[in-house]
Amino acid sequence: MENEFQALRCCELGCGFGSKNRKTGMGNSSGRIKSSRSWDLPLLSQSTDGKEEVIQAWYMDDSEEDQRLPHHREPKEFIPLDKLSELGILSWRLNADDWENDEKLKKIREARGYSYMDICDVCPEKLPNYEDKIKNFFEEHLHTDEEIRYCLEGSGYFDVRDQNDQWIRVAVKKGGMIVLPAGMYHRFTLDSDNYIKAMRLFVGEPVWTPYNRPHDHLPARKEYVERIINRGGSQAVEAR
C-alpha cells in the first residue's frame, strides 16, 4: 500500500468509531465513483469456513443491565450469518495476525474502493472518560455511508435492527470484519473484556457523522428501507 504513515496518538472514539492512530492510502482513487451503498459496490466471493468462530449473532433481550453483557434471550436465539446478509451486512474472516500482507484484505479494499484506512485501540487505559464514551457509542444512529470495521485484537458488539425493528447483537472477535450498510440503524459497545483494536475503512475521505434515531427522512435511510426492509431482504448483498 502506498502513502503509509504513522500518527502516534490514542484513539478517541466518536460514533464514527474513533480518530486514527494509523492511516494508509491505496494510491490515487480519484478515478472511482464513490458510493455509500453496499449494493452498488463490487462483491467479493469468499469462503465461510470458520467465519462463525469470529462472528456470531443473536436476538437480544430487553434487559437494561450493563450494555457489555451478552444480553441473550432465554432460551438463546442464535441467528445464522445468512440472516445478516439479508439485512445488507457483509462479513469476512481474515488473517488479523498478518493483515499488512493479507492478499484477501487487499483484494477486498481494491474491489470495493476502500482507499482510506486507520486503526484504533479502545480500552480504559487509552480512552479518556471511557465509561462515558462507551455510553455515547451506544446511542442508536445511522450513517450516510457504510461502516466498515475489522477486529485485529479483542472483541466488541455491533447491534443492528432487523426488518421487524428487533435488536440483533453481532459479536465480532479477532479476525472478523463486517460492513454495515448506509442507512441502517445500529450502535456499538465493547464487551466485558473492555478492549478492541479495530481497523476502519472508508471510500475516499472519511465522514463519521452519526445521525441519532429518528432520521428516517435522510435519502440513505429511505433507500435502505426500500431495498432491504420493504422487500424483505430480497435485494440483500451476498456475504459468503
Side-chain angles (χ1 to χ4, degrees), residues 178-210:
I178 65 171
V179 178
L180 305 183
M184 169 182 259
Y185 283 121
H186 64 280
R187 62 192 181 189
F188 171 79
T189 185
L190 276 78
D191 57 24
S192 56
D193 289 336
N194 289 304
Y195 177 67
I196 191 170
K197 181 175 185 177
M199 177 186 296
R200 304 183 307 176
L201 297 163
F202 205 85
V203 178
E205 286 301 310
V207 179
W208 309 125
T209 306

Side-chain angles (χ1 to χ4, degrees), residues 90-215:
L90 295 171
S91 61
W92 292 268
R93 179 175 184 170
L94 302 173
N95 182 7
D97 289 324
D98 191 28
W99 63 264
E100 291 178 289
N101 300 305
D102 188 354
E103 289 299 321
K104 192 172 181 179
L105 174 61
K106 291 178 182 178
K107 288 179 181 178
I108 292 170
R109 292 187 63 185
E110 289 170 0
R112 299 184 62 78
Y114 297 151
S115 55
Y116 176 93
M117 182 273 275
D118 63 28
I119 295 175
C120 299
D121 286 282
V122 187
C123 57
E125 295 77 18
K126 294 188 177 182
L127 189 63
N129 303 314
Y130 175 78
E131 293 294 334
D132 291 336
K133 290 285 178 61
I134 64 170
K135 287 183 172 62
N136 289 338
F137 308 155
F138 206 54
E139 290 289 331
E140 184 176 2
H141 64 279
L142 61 78
H143 301 289
T144 56
D145 296 279
E146 290 181 337
E147 179 166 313
I148 307 109
R149 301 292 179 266
Y150 174 18
C151 181
L152 300 177
E153 295 177 15
S155 50
Y157 295 134
F158 294 85
D159 298 340
V160 300
R161 295 284 192 180
D162 73 357
Q163 291 97 332
N164 298 313
D165 217 35
Q166 298 185 72
W167 279 118
I168 294 173
R169 172 147 284 186
V170 183
V172 181
K173 299 179 181 180
K174 178 180 177 179
M177 176 173 162
I178 65 171
V179 178
L180 305 183
M184 169 182 259
Y185 283 121
H186 64 280
R187 62 192 181 189
F188 171 79
T189 185
L190 276 78
D191 57 24
S192 56
D193 289 336
N194 289 304
Y195 177 67
I196 191 170
K197 181 175 185 177
M199 177 186 296
R200 304 183 307 176
L201 297 163
F202 205 85
V203 178
E205 286 301 310
V207 179
W208 309 125
T209 306
Y211 295 92
N212 288 351
R213 191 168 187 176
H215 265 84

